[in-house]
Amino acid sequence: MTEACGSGLWSVHKEDSVDSTQQWVRDRLSILPDRSVVLAGTQSEGRGRAGRKWESPPGGLYASFLWKPAPAVEHAAVVSLVAALALADILEDHGIHCLVKWPNDVVISDKKVAGIIAESGGRTPSWLIMGMGANLRTVPAVTGRVVLPPGAWIMFGEPPEPEELLWKLINRIELLWPDREEDPIAGIIERLNSRLWNLGKEVTLQAGDDMITGVIEGLRPDGSLILSTDSGERRFVSGELLTVH
Ligand code: BTN
């Protein structure tokens, strides 16, 4: 079933099942307007970061948001951080304390409940697709190496329905980032830093082929991560935080 409705700003498309909402948007890049979002009941080929699969059983939130042209931010990680903070704010509204694991996860009690992926490309126009997967009622089976075990919102309280959560996300993202010409991070950096997973703790970061160990000092106003390492302070615009010592 395809259903479309609008919020004034965003056009929302609802699908029962797709391969991947990221792919659904990519396949329709030429016809979808700026600020389109698709919500799917399930995904058969949900995509995680670094080529991983995102298990997508019924009941979770699987959505991809399109910006066309891509927002004028330096790094796609900025968009992931806005989306992560939007979800974190909504969880707090429900009385659930959570943290943002840089650059793109939302974590409750050291369990990953949501992941975000940002893909961009194109020239005229450029585009950016931000995909969010949130485990609401079921903890998906995850195979292979995981940094944090998966969790689901229901372990900590009653979750909203996926569509209700989607509207809350749309509203919160607009609130956090009303002007696409502006970089949003400067205005929300303090709140992001106060919610940063493992702030002040030693971690290992995988950046490309490099493994860097250091203490998380916080985020810079451009959304990059600062680690204090043996060779001094280092700044990263992408990477994956792997382990805590
Ligand atoms: C990660 O943590 O690895 C990112 C996971 C992103 C999953 C979402 S679910 C909706 C959208 N469609 C996809 O295929 N992937 C993203």
Side-chain angles (χ1 to χ4, degrees), residues 20-22 43 46-49 54 63-64 105 112 115-116 132-133:
S20 152
T21 56
Q22 291 295 101
Q43 301 182 116
R47 284 187 209 147
R49 283 177 79 218
W54 185 261
S64 292
D105 293 337
K112 174 168 167 170
I116 296 163
M132 180 185 283

Side-chain angles (χ1 to χ4, degrees), residues 9-11 32-36 66-70 180:
L9 279 176
W10 285 84
S11 324
L32 289 175
D34 178 41
R35 290 180 166 119
S36 294
L66 170 68
W67 284 272
K68 193 178 86 173
R180 294 301 152 73

